[in-house]
């Protein structure tokens, strides 16, 4: 096969679209499993999971594959759409859409909505988790001898550090006692002894709190929730056509297997976006 | 079926003087059209009326008028070959319409099918795709083997025959939102790929036909399935999938 055919041939474009699309379906399933911990897990479980996802090297590799797939899927889709528009320079005065599904005719529009959603989603969560200096650290309230006290949570089991013992970086010693606090936070998540400059523990970033606060935001929480649910609707329609379409593009079509693929595809297109959408609604309404 | 009656209709027809001219939709009133007449007979009736009025008749493609030659076309009320399934325009009858209806008639719309005049489009792009590989090279010098002497599994023979039913009318391109020709090419690739005689040249065939298809300016298939619904010969999407498989196989060789 000529090198240029990798991108140029109409059929090879279909293969790329299908392969990246199916990979992204796997990603969706994995992402959903993680998100569901916001409903069914504790905040510690969720933050443990978030730490694992941001530090594990295998996950890192998968995440790069995902970014590449999203970018390639989008660029290939845009190229296809432009070419397909050019293939009919003069349109029809009257059209009848009854011979194809709404989803199949609007994959580019649905894909654009999803792409915008992904961009906002990464700004709101991914970028904050990775780069935000003010990303909150996990604080747990525990009752000690009848009094409620706040503790930072270390990543090793059983590590709790009283919040009032922890200084922010550059914080001056107490003006009365002239004694510095016992701990100081460095490099966003590292807890150091303030005197010896030795690391005492790694702390959890509180992605759980960030997420809950995001959807419970008194001003914008409702708007964020509605946009999220709307985007999941677009995703559902996109998958409704896309899932089974990917198999057709890869040449998998027979009277035996195709009904199964179509059924699984439609089930996936309904269940996955629905479960995704339930989470922000649940968080928004939660007391 | 109820007895034939006469209906009065309004026609909105694409008129374009020649390939270069800018066309437009024109409106015509046609009275006393028998519901027993075919759609093309209705257009004949319109043309008689236009000729009597000393106007230019509407140019449209037709030949056998028996639904088998693939010559007639027409995008009628937003559908290729009009509001009935499994037929070409010549097999469409006026009993599908009601008194007072407005009927839109447009040519196939595709960059690869330029309008020649009015409703006539140039479908020679299909011929060039066929010439690129839609054949079996056979020595015809007198020692040709009888085709039936090569055993073919019944299932394959049936599938090949169903693919070969394609008459190359171009309805698939016309109805596809992307102006894609993949149902046509898929059928032509399949009809040979399924048979032992065609397997010999299968690799080059699919590569050449797809390359020619892309060069002609047809769009890319996005599996909407509209072609399969509008195809007068019921060519199935399975043929596109088979072409995709054949192309993958050929590309990896």
């Amino acid at each position: 096969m000529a090198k240029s055919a990798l991108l140029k041939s109409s059929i090879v474009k279909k293969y790329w679209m299908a392969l990246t699309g199916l990979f992204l379906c796997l990603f969706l399933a994995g992402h959903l499993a993680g998100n569901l911990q916001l409903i069914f897990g504790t905040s510690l479980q969720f933050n443990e999971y978030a730490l694992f996802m941001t530090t594990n090297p295998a996950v890192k590799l998968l995440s790069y594959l995902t970014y590449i797939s999203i970018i390639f899927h989008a660029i290939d889709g845009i190229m296809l759409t432009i070419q397909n528009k050019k293939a009919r320079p003069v349109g029809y005065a009257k059209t009848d859409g009854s011979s194809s599904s709404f989803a199949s005719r609007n994959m580019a529009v649905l894909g654009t909505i999803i792409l915008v959603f992904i961009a906002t989603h990464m700004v709101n969560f991914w970028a904050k988790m990775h780069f935000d200096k003010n990303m909150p650290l996990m604080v747990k309230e525990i009752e000690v001898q009848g009094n409620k006290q706040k503790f930072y949570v270390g990543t090793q089991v059983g590590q709790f550090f009283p919040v009032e013992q922890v200084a922010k970086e550059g914080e001056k010693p107490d003006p009365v006692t002239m004694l510095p606090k016992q701990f100081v936070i460095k490099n966003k998540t590292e807890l150091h002894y303030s005197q010896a400059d030795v690391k005492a523990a790694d702390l959890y970033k509180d992605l759980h709190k960030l997420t809950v606060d995001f959807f419970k935001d008194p001003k914008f929480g409702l708007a964020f929730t509605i946009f999220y649910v709307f985007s999941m609707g677009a995703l559902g329609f996109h998958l409704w056509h896309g899932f089974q379409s990917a198999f057709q593009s890869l040449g998998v079509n027979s009277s035996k297997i195709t009904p199964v693929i179509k059924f699984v595809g439609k089930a996936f297109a309904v269940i996955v976006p629905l479960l995704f959408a339930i989470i922000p609604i649940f968080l928004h309404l939660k007391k | 079926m109820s007895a034939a009656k006469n209906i009065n209709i309004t026609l909105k027809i694409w008129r374009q003087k020649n390939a270069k001219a800018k066309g437009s939709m024109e409106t015509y009133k046609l009275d006393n059209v028998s519901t027993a007449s075919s759609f093309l007979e209705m257009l004949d009736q319109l043309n008689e009326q236009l000729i009597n009025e000393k106007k230019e008749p509407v140019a449209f493609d037709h030949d056998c008028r028996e639904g088998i030659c693939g010559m007639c076309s027409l995008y009628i009320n937003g559908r290729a070959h009009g509001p009935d399934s499994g037929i070409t325009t010549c097999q469409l009858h006026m009993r599908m319409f009601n008194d007072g209806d407005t009927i839109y008639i447009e040519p196939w719309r595709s960059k690869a099918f330029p309008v020649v005049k009015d409703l006539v489009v140039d479908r020679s792009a299909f011929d060039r795709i066929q010439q690129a590989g839609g054949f079996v090279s056979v020595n015809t010098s007198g020692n040709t083997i009888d085709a039936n002497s090569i055993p073919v599994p019944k299932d394959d023979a049936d599938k090949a025959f169903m693919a070969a039913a394609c008459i190359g009318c171009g309805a698939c391109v016309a109805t596809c939102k992307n102006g894609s020709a993949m149902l046509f090419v898929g059928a032509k690739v399949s009809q040979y790929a399924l048979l032992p005689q065609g397997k010999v040249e299968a690799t080059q065939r699919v590569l050449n036909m797809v390359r020619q298809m892309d060069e002609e300016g047809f769009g890319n298939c996005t599996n909407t399935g509209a072609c399969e619904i509008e195809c007068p010969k019921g060519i199935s999407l399975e043929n596109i999938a088979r072409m995709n498989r054949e192309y993958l196989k050929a590309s990896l060789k």
Side-chain angles (χ1 to χ4, degrees):
Chain A
M1 180 169 42
K3 248 186 195 168
S4 60
L6 263 178
L7 275 171
K8 266 191 178 169
S9 158
S10 52
I11 294 185
V12 176
K13 282 199 205 94
K14 284 165 66 118
Y15 298 153
W16 280 120
M17 219 52 195
L19 290 172
T20 51
L22 286 177
F23 178 75
L24 290 172
C25 284
L26 285 177
F27 159 74
L28 282 178
H31 194 331
L32 177 63
N35 284 14
L36 284 173
Q37 295 176 71
L38 285 163
I39 294 183
F40 299 109
T42 63
S43 61
L44 179 62
Q45 275 169 346
F46 185 77
N47 288 333
E48 275 173 356
Y49 164 76
L51 181 70
F52 171 78
M53 294 304 281
T54 42
T55 50
N56 184 285
V59 174
K60 189 142 261 179
L61 188 74
L62 276 177
S63 74
Y64 286 132
L65 258 176
T66 309
Y67 304 144
I68 291 167
S69 291
I70 292 170
I71 292 167
F72 208 102
H73 198 77
I75 291 174
D76 202 22
I78 291 165
M79 274 167 37
L80 281 167
T81 307
I82 292 170
Q83 277 182 357
N84 292 347
K85 292 268 176 248
K86 278 189 190 157
R88 177 163 296 139
V90 183
Y92 291 109
K94 193 171 170 73
T95 50
D96 173 323
S98 64
S99 52
S100 58
S101 68
F102 165 83
S104 75
R105 275 178 276 124
N106 294 286
M107 289 301 273
V109 177
L110 296 166
T112 307
I113 295 170
I114 296 164
L115 195 63
V116 169
F117 169 76
I118 291 172
T120 62
H121 194 67
M122 289 189 74
V123 168
N124 292 332
F125 299 104
W126 178 86
K128 282 196 185 142
M129 185 72 182
H130 282 83
F131 308 119
D132 193 354
K133 278 183 192 155
N134 300 318
M135 178 74 195
L137 293 169
M138 189 180 174
V139 174
K140 205 169 164 59
E141 215 170 40
I142 303 171
E143 219 173 76
V144 182
Q145 295 164 345
N147 293 321
K148 277 189 177 175
Q149 249 183 299
K150 286 181 173 171
F151 293 89
Y152 282 115
V153 184
T155 56
Q156 304 290 319
V157 177
Q159 286 183 317
F160 294 98
F161 305 92
V163 168
E164 66 263 24
Q165 292 294 327
V166 180
K168 297 241 161 53
E169 216 169 348
E171 195 179 305
K172 295 266 162 32
D174 189 283
V176 181
T177 61
M178 292 310 285
L179 282 171
K181 288 183 178 169
Q182 197 182 349
F183 301 105
V184 62
I185 292 167
K186 290 184 173 171
N187 300 329
K188 292 187 209 166
T189 57
E190 289 174 11
L191 193 74
H192 287 242
Y193 293 106
S194 51
Q195 303 288 29
D197 202 22
V198 174
K199 188 159 89 173
D202 285 307
L203 303 178
Y204 284 111
K205 287 184 180 178
D206 202 349
L207 186 61
H208 186 274
K209 178 178 162 31
L210 183 90
T211 311
V212 174
D213 288 352
F214 181 80
F215 290 111
K216 287 193 79 69
D217 187 278
K219 249 190 189 167
F220 300 110
L222 183 63
F224 290 146
T225 305
I226 289 170
F227 177 63
Y228 194 105
V229 172
F230 168 76
S231 303
M232 289 306 107
L235 177 66
F237 279 105
H238 199 77
L239 290 170
W240 185 266
H241 175 68
F243 190 94
Q244 52 100 7
S245 177
F247 288 91
Q248 163 77 6
S249 289
L250 294 171
V252 182
N253 183 337
S254 76
S255 49
K256 256 189 219 157
I257 192 87
T258 301
V260 178
I261 293 170
K262 284 193 174 167
F263 177 78
V264 172
K266 285 175 181 178
F268 190 87
V270 171
I271 294 168
V272 170
L274 190 69
L275 289 176
F276 266 118
I278 283 172
I279 296 163
I281 296 172
F282 173 81
L283 296 180
H284 180 73
L285 299 176
K286 201 171 82 163
K287 291 248 160 108
Chain B
M1 197 184 299
S2 56
K5 56 180 181 187
N6 283 359
I7 57 173
N8 301 332
I9 51 175
T10 304
L11 299 166
K12 290 194 179 286
I13 301 179
W14 181 261
R15 301 304 307 264
Q16 184 173 335
K17 215 169 183 176
N18 55 51
K20 296 225 169 87
K22 197 171 172 285
S24 62
M25 296 297 284
E26 301 292 335
T27 307
Y28 303 95
K29 292 249 179 232
L30 191 61
D31 293 342
N32 295 319
V33 178
S34 167
T35 54
S37 67
S38 79
F39 198 83
L40 296 186
E41 283 166 342
M42 179 277 290
L43 285 178
D44 293 337
Q45 192 180 333
L46 170 72
N47 278 347
E48 260 179 63
Q49 180 179 308
L50 289 173
I51 290 165
N52 286 337
E53 291 168 2
K54 306 262 184 271
K55 287 179 186 159
E56 181 78 10
V58 179
F60 61 93
D61 269 326
H62 60 104
D63 191 5
C64 77
R65 298 204 179 195
E66 289 179 338
I68 194 61
C69 74
M71 196 60 202
C72 59
S73 54
L74 305 186
Y75 211 70
I76 301 158
N77 278 349
R79 291 186 64 186
H81 295 301
D84 206 346
S85 57
I87 54 156
T88 52
T89 295
C90 62
Q91 301 289 291
L92 177 67
H93 282 76
M94 292 311 292
R95 55 178 168 264
M96 295 296 291
F97 300 93
N98 298 312
D99 192 38
D101 274 3
T102 298
I103 305 171
Y104 283 75
I105 310 173
E106 298 173 76
W108 285 173
R109 293 295 191 194
S110 161
K111 189 186 162 207
F113 289 165
V115 172
V116 176
K117 185 180 181 180
D118 296 339
L119 302 170
V120 177
V121 297
D122 178 0
R123 282 171 281 184
S124 56
F126 270 10
D127 300 339
R128 289 188 290 274
I129 294 173
Q130 279 288 66
Q131 285 155 12
F135 52 82
V136 178
S137 305
V138 183
N139 183 346
T140 53
S141 59
N143 51 2
T144 315
I145 304 165
D146 184 79
N148 289 326
S149 65
I150 306 167
V152 180
K154 175 80 169 87
D155 190 43
D156 289 352
D158 286 349
K159 281 181 177 161
F161 192 82
M162 278 157 77
C166 169
I167 52 175
C169 67
C172 46
V173 175
T175 199
C176 174
K177 80 173 184 64
N178 309 319
S180 169
M182 287 210 189
L183 193 67
F184 168 77
V185 183
K188 298 302 173 193
V189 165
S190 287
Q191 102 186 43
Y192 296 110
L194 284 159
L195 299 176
Q197 293 94 329
K199 288 210 165 89
V200 184
E201 294 162 302
T203 303
Q204 277 314 304
R205 176 180 304 112
V206 68
L207 293 176
N208 289 343
M209 289 182 84
V210 169
R211 198 199 56 237
Q212 188 65 36
M213 169 182 80
D214 289 348
E215 278 175 15
E216 296 291 349
F218 291 106
N220 303 284
C221 173
T222 55
N223 306 326
T224 70
C227 53
E228 176 184 59
I229 307 269
E230 295 296 345
C231 175
K233 297 298 161 187
I235 307 288
S236 134
L237 283 187
E238 273 182 47
N239 293 294
I240 299 183
R242 189 176 294 104
M243 171 175 68
N244 295 344
R245 284 201 295 278
E246 288 288 317
Y247 193 86
L248 188 61
K249 258 196 283 176
S251 301
L252 296 175
K253 266 185 189 172

